[in-house]
């Protein structure tokens, strides 16, 4: 599939993350506009509230863009999603008869501030990157037996915290928590000393599954509205002390950042790729009817306060062992009801090479092998003032499907009131 | 504190769970009324939407009872909660000047159906019963070393699933899931074979804590709106295979039942009791400024389909090692934002005696020692058609603060579409 040209000229550059082929969905505000839904095209955002009010877009009987979140659209399901995308392509395509009507509804992206695109109903995080699980297992379990016994059979996940999912650009306070050094007699409480990021993709669920009712992998894939970049900020020292036997809790509860633009499944369609060969056959309820991963190039930069960023990792979402559709099918398998606005973290994306590791835990091998930044500074974990940025894109033939970035700066821990 | 008499005569019986001293909050519907907030008094429910519309109750500038959930009231904070309770006591007290106005707003409880009293924003479950943790640890860890190393220091918790929190009376489909027998080569998928209940209390959070900002135990206690009975349905065979290393997931995700009436902290005030002596000093951020547990007698019955119920456990909430206030303070300690509608499960309440165990896992000692019901039937875990009911009350001097009951019937597992 080649670039589809738009009358918004900036959208036609081969490097532009937001060509007509992409059309990602977000929520934005400006100095004069209240928060509202928009779609990115080139260096502009089409104001969908204005477009709906003007009657240029009508995908449901009642308005869906009178609220500053995408959940209402997500509730409408795949047919409406397809109709919206088709209409947007029509409006924004080169030669559109409606250019004069639509042009005044475009906002300069540089003048907009992005907000969370959805009301996050619940957040679930998985552990589906095999290289990541092997690396972590080698550090904390046994290099000869790094994967947990269930890992090749279950997309292992845990429920995270929705209340602290924030949009890219939100500063992150270093968490406080209980930690205990291996040789200490008792734990202490204070700011985390091993603050980390995790490079993930987030899948956004549209539609509902009924309580008690399992769904197939195909149904699960049909229920995915789109994808974002996701940083699962992690406090490794808090995690080490708390996670047995009930899993990560406060170590992950303080913040999760997502990129502001939801890249739809339709935009990603040309980049579908298969999960890898299975070492053990999956149970039938987890078998995919077709490719459900995506070829998405991912990178991570770290910039100390006031310094230039260094690229510290580059990898690809195609490294995952389980797709989001498999994860969602597993999530619903017990009869767990899924809803529009549920956010599914992929788990840390790491590739086989050292430079492809999606966390500082792996990059610095638990702090034993600190990384050196281009500025000369050294990092095992994140320092206050550090800015961590995830980026991602799919490379088409003459065009790019960009996710934009997911960034956050670490602030010092807060104290008790 | 003695019974406070009401002009609603049924509220004055010493055995009535809902005297004027209680005034628990729920959401109800009838054949002629849409779902709405109500307060229980004797065998009646006061229709708060009607009371607010009539101007009999006004606790905020805008209406708060125009919606069928308590979250808006919970958002108002303790001062408004106190004002509402005082006004309800005034309206319903013996000798009230407003009896004639209020009487027509009373609905017979027998004609009402109860719904979830709140929009559950997020659900967190703890593991704070020491006898429970000792029992489980003895079965699955080591009887000599039953408690995890962090247990005496941290109220261990994990994030659960809010989408499947249901009100008492909702049938529960047996979950499907992956399980693996210890000697099996690979896991299988199908209906859970070791379905269990967990007897818990649920604390309901009112108000918000800011992301990044820890709160004190006193602030946490101030943020608790009230308590309900909670059954954390559990699939032990699914749990055993999935829970390492990230904790319980699908084993707990399929259903959590709560009782319909929120018993407020104010009603429980006379029954405050202290957490037990500490074997290890708690870190300062977890130390309680006063008693924050409650003396609540709890019982569990099990009724096979079409048979009479048998009481299978009796215990007391005062057995917990950590209070809900401590759990909430720990929950927010990392900077995890807490919101009105968050539901905090206490963890299984078990006492020291065999008859005080709050789960079948403990009562049947992992299935090795099945229990015999009064009907002669034997149970290690729950069978399809079984009805499980939790009950709870505080015993005052001549009055009772009742929680009502939390019940659910097990239906067969559903199959894939």
């Amino acid at each position: 599939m080649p670039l589809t040209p738009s009358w918004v000229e900036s959208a036609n550059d081969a490097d532009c993350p937001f060509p007509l082929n992409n059309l990602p969905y977000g929520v934005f505000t400006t100095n004069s506009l209240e928060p509202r839904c928009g779609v990115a095209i080139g260096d502009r955002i089409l104001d969908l509230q204005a477009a709906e009010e003007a009657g240029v877009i009508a995908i449901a009987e009642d308005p869906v863009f009178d609220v500053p979140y995408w959940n209402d659209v997500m509730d409408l399901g795949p047919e409406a999603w397809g109709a919206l995308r088709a209409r947007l392509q029509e409006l924004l395509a080169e030669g559109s008869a409606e250019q004069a009507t639509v042009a005044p509804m475009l906002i300069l992206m540089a003048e907009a501030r992005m907000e969370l695109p959805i009301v996050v109903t619940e957040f679930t995080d998985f552990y589906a990157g095999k290289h990541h699980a092997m690396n972590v297992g080698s550090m904390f379990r046994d290099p000869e037996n790094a994967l947990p016994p269930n890992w090749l059979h279950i997309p292992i996940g845990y429920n995270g915290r929705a209340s602290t999912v924030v949009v890219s650009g939100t500063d992150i306070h270093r968490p406080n928590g209980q930690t205990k050094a291996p040789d200490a007699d008792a734990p202490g409480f204070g700011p985390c000393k091993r603050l980390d990021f995790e490079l993930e993709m987030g899948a956004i669920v549209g539609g509902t599954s009924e309580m008690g009712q399992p769904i197939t992998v195909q149904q699960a894939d049909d229920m995915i509205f789109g994808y974002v970049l996701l940083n699962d900020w992690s406090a490794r020292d808090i995690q080490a002390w708390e996670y047995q036997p009930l899993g990560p809790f406060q170590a992950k509860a303080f913040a999760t950042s997502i990129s502001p633009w939801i890249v739809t499944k339709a935009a990603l369609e040309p980049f579908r790729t298969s999960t890898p060969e299975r070492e053990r056959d999956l149970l039938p309820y987890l078998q995919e009817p077709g490719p459900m991963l995506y070829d998405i190039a991912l990178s991570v930069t770290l910039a100390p306060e006031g310094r230039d960023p260094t690229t510290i990792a580059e990898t690809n979402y195609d490294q995952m062992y389980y797709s989001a559709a498999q994860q969602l099918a597993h999530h619903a398998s017990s009869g767990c009801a899924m809803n529009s606005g549920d956010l599914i973290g992929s788990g840390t994306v790491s590739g086989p090479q050292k430079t492809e590791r999606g966390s500082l835990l792996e990059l610095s091998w638990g702090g034993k092998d600190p990384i050196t930044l281009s500025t000369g500074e050294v990092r095992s974990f994140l320092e206050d003032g550090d800015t961590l940025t995830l980026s991602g894109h799919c490379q088409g033939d003459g065009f790019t499907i960009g996710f934009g970035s997911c960034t956050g700066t670490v602030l010092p821990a807060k104290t008790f009131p």
Side-chain angles (χ1 to χ4, degrees), chain A:
Chain A
M1 179 197 280
L3 174 83
T4 315
S6 168
W7 53 261
V8 180
E9 288 190 11
S10 57
N12 300 331
D13 291 347
D15 292 343
C16 176
F18 305 128
L20 193 60
N21 307 54
N22 193 349
L23 296 180
Y25 300 144
V27 167
F28 72 100
T29 181
T30 69
N31 288 342
S32 56
L33 295 176
E34 293 290 302
R36 58 193 55 212
C37 293
V39 57
I41 179 75
D43 60 358
R44 313 282 156 136
I45 301 172
L46 173 57
D47 177 343
L48 291 172
Q49 184 176 322
E52 189 178 63
E53 282 171 3
V56 172
I57 286 174
I59 58 166
E61 277 189 36
D62 294 318
V64 289
F65 294 122
D66 55 345
V67 289
Y69 44 79
W70 279 83
N71 300 58
D72 287 6
V73 175
M74 286 147 57
D75 266 338
L76 295 176
E79 200 172 326
W81 307 345
L84 174 62
R85 183 173 170 85
R87 180 66 179 140
L88 291 171
Q89 285 173 325
E90 182 180 47
L91 291 172
L92 295 166
E94 198 174 65
S96 164
E98 290 160 291
Q99 177 174 347
T101 310
V102 171
M105 301 168 184
L106 293 177
I107 312 292
L108 262 179
M109 204 176 273
E111 291 175 2
R113 291 179 302 280
M114 301 307 296
E115 308 221 340
L116 266 187
I118 61 170
V119 176
V120 181
T121 43
E122 303 200 53
F123 169 46
T124 310
D125 197 31
F126 281 84
Y127 185 58
K130 190 169 171 202
H131 301 292
H132 172 68
M134 292 287 287
N135 285 337
V136 172
S138 296
M139 273 182 263
F140 296 114
R141 285 168 52 93
D142 165 11
E144 300 304 308
N145 200 15
L147 289 179
N150 53 11
W151 201 93
L152 294 173
H153 302 280
I154 302 183
I156 297 175
Y158 65 98
N159 297 296
R161 185 78 190 169
S163 65
T164 47
V165 175
V166 294
V167 73
S168 171
T170 307
D171 293 336
I172 306 302
H173 282 277
R174 179 178 297 274
N176 292 290
Q178 271 199 37
T179 58
K180 182 179 158 308
D183 56 348
D185 182 49
F189 183 88
C192 158
K193 293 191 178 72
R194 290 161 71 95
L195 181 60
D196 202 355
F197 72 96
E198 287 190 338
L199 167 63
E200 302 195 18
M201 296 298 300
I204 291 174
V205 176
T208 59
S209 75
E210 189 189 335
M211 181 171 167
Q213 179 61 59
I215 60 175
T216 65
V217 175
Q218 181 62 57
Q219 286 177 312
D221 193 57
D222 292 344
M223 278 177 70
I224 295 172
F225 181 64
Y227 291 82
V228 292
L229 304 167
L230 186 150
N231 181 354
D232 177 34
W233 302 92
S234 298
R236 301 298 180 193
D237 44 355
I238 297 172
Q239 187 173 357
W241 172 233
E242 76 172 1
Y243 91 106
Q244 287 285 12
L246 299 185
F249 184 45
Q250 292 309 289
K252 304 272 197 172
F254 58 98
T256 304
S257 300
I258 63 172
S259 54
W261 292 110
I262 304 171
V263 177
T264 65
K265 212 166 39 185
L268 294 172
E269 206 56 43
F271 305 98
R272 278 192 186 257
T273 180
S274 297
T275 44
E277 283 286 308
R278 301 291 155 182
E279 289 157 62
R280 303 286 301 262
D281 284 344
L282 290 180
L283 284 161
Y285 83 103
L286 286 174
Q287 289 174 13
E288 293 173 301
M292 290 179 173
L293 270 185
Y294 299 94
D295 173 5
I296 305 171
L298 300 167
S299 64
V300 184
T301 66
L302 196 168
E305 193 168 3
R307 310 297 295 270
D308 287 334
T310 300
T311 298
I312 60 172
E314 292 183 292
T315 184
N316 195 301
Y317 182 56
D318 66 11
Q319 293 292 325
M320 302 310 283
Y321 197 77
Y322 294 102
S323 66
Q326 289 174 313
Q327 292 170 335
L328 181 54
H330 179 67
H331 206 332
S333 66
S334 69
C336 178
M338 305 303 301
N339 292 306
S340 287
D342 286 346
L343 175 64
I344 308 287
S346 62
T348 305
V349 187
S350 290
Q353 305 303 319
K354 190 172 172 179
T355 55
E356 297 175 84
R357 295 174 183 167
S359 68
L360 278 167
L361 179 71
E362 295 163 87
L363 288 163
S364 75
W365 209 252
K368 290 186 185 142
D369 187 13
I371 60 169
T372 302
L373 306 178
S374 60
T375 55
E377 281 141 305
V378 165
R379 285 291 181 279
S380 290
F381 293 98
L382 295 168
E383 306 279 339
D384 289 351
D386 284 355
T387 296
L388 198 290
T389 303
L390 317 179
S391 303
H393 71 277
C394 305
Q395 190 54 60
D397 183 13
F399 70 98
T400 302
I401 299 290
F403 282 79
S405 67
C406 177
T407 190
T409 298
V410 178
L411 300 186
K414 288 197 181 184
T415 54
F416 279 89

